[in-house]
Amino acid sequence: MSDHDPEQAAARANLCRFLAACYYEPGPEFAEEKLFDSMHDAARRLDPDFANRTKRLGEAFASTDPETLLVDYTRLFLGPVNALAKPYGSVWMSGEATLMQDSTMDVLSLYREGGFDLDEGFRELPDHVAAELEFLYLLIFRENVAQRESDLDALMANEALRKRFLADHVGSWVDRFSAAMTAGAGTDYYRALADLTQRFVAMEVKRALAA
């Protein structure tokens, strides 16, 4: 655990949490809560390339009128008939439009194993991209706590769960989801979000494989 960098570890957790927030319906609270400033602050502690990409994400949000963002969000993720980038892991893992498949129940089982409870106000399915990113945030956060407390047992258990989750869930489908977002997006904001999401999850997969 001697090569652990607490500042970078906290930045990874924060960037993951802020990425998840970007997949909720866009609104003025994004700017009011300084979401993109916080993302940029976390990203610059990780890598200059991530910092540049988060900066572009914030600029794209600020330069696009709210109605256009909402229309793009709806087309990509909600429909009304066929969403262009359905934000559910089961869709990309099976290649079928049917929701609540075996993979959905499996990720719910992993949530329970990790002590992760979906908020009562969360009206989406358990394998929604926002939920999976929030679970990844929790795993990174707990890894950091275990490192800080030199709790080897907790660290190993969390690391094993994180590897399974990335291999069997978000890490296995985010590339296809991000590609669909990029192809279907009508705004620079959602294209930038797709790019940043894909790169962040790829970084986490690489870290998991190297651990």
Side-chain angles (χ1 to χ4, degrees), residues 92-106:
W92 301 101
M93 292 171 67
S94 69
E96 300 175 2
T98 307
L99 304 179
M100 285 298 290
Q101 299 183 42
D102 289 346
S103 61
T104 311
M105 304 314 295
D106 183 64

Side-chain angles (χ1 to χ4, degrees), residues 30-144:
F30 283 18
E32 292 165 0
E33 296 174 6
K34 300 187 182 301
L35 172 61
F36 303 106
D37 290 344
S38 298
M39 289 184 79
H40 183 67
D41 182 62
R44 68 181 178 81
R45 298 169 191 272
L46 287 176
D47 180 85
D49 182 60
F50 273 117
N52 290 334
R53 293 176 191 280
T54 55
K55 183 180 180 181
R56 287 199 290 272
L57 181 70
E59 291 172 345
F61 182 87
S63 64
T64 309
D65 71 85
E67 184 63 28
T68 300
L69 285 171
L70 187 56
V71 168
D72 211 20
Y73 172 86
T74 301
R75 288 173 59 255
L76 286 169
F77 307 131
L78 302 181
V81 180
N82 292 314
L84 299 177
K86 291 183 179 179
Y88 307 103
S90 59
V91 171
W92 301 101
M93 292 171 67
S94 69
E96 300 175 2
T98 307
L99 304 179
M100 285 298 290
Q101 299 183 42
D102 289 346
S103 61
T104 311
M105 304 314 295
D106 183 64
V107 79
L108 195 56
S109 176
L110 288 181
Y111 292 169
R112 285 194 290 267
E113 185 176 339
F116 176 63
D117 294 319
L118 292 168
D119 190 276
E120 289 183 2
F122 187 72
R123 302 302 182 190
E124 282 290 355
L125 298 177
D127 60 345
H128 188 279
V129 62
E132 295 210 9
L133 287 173
E134 286 170 4
F135 183 54
L136 181 58
Y137 153 74
L138 178 65
L139 295 176
I140 298 170
F141 176 83
R142 287 183 175 167
E143 171 196 326
N144 300 342

Side-chain angles (χ1 to χ4, degrees), residues 5 14 17 24-25 30-31 41 51 63 98 112 123 131 146 156 162 208:
D5 184 329
N14 286 331
R17 178 164 56 98
Y24 289 90
E25 182 177 307
F30 283 18
D41 182 62
S63 64
T98 307
R112 285 194 290 267
R123 302 302 182 190
M156 291 178 65
R162 185 165 53 88

Side-chain angles (χ1 to χ4, degrees), residues 145-163:
V145 172
Q147 289 275 11
R148 186 171 63 247
E149 297 178 352
S150 298
D151 188 338
L152 187 58
D153 289 341
L155 183 63
M156 291 178 65
N158 189 84
E159 186 176 276
L161 183 57
R162 185 165 53 88
K163 284 183 176 182

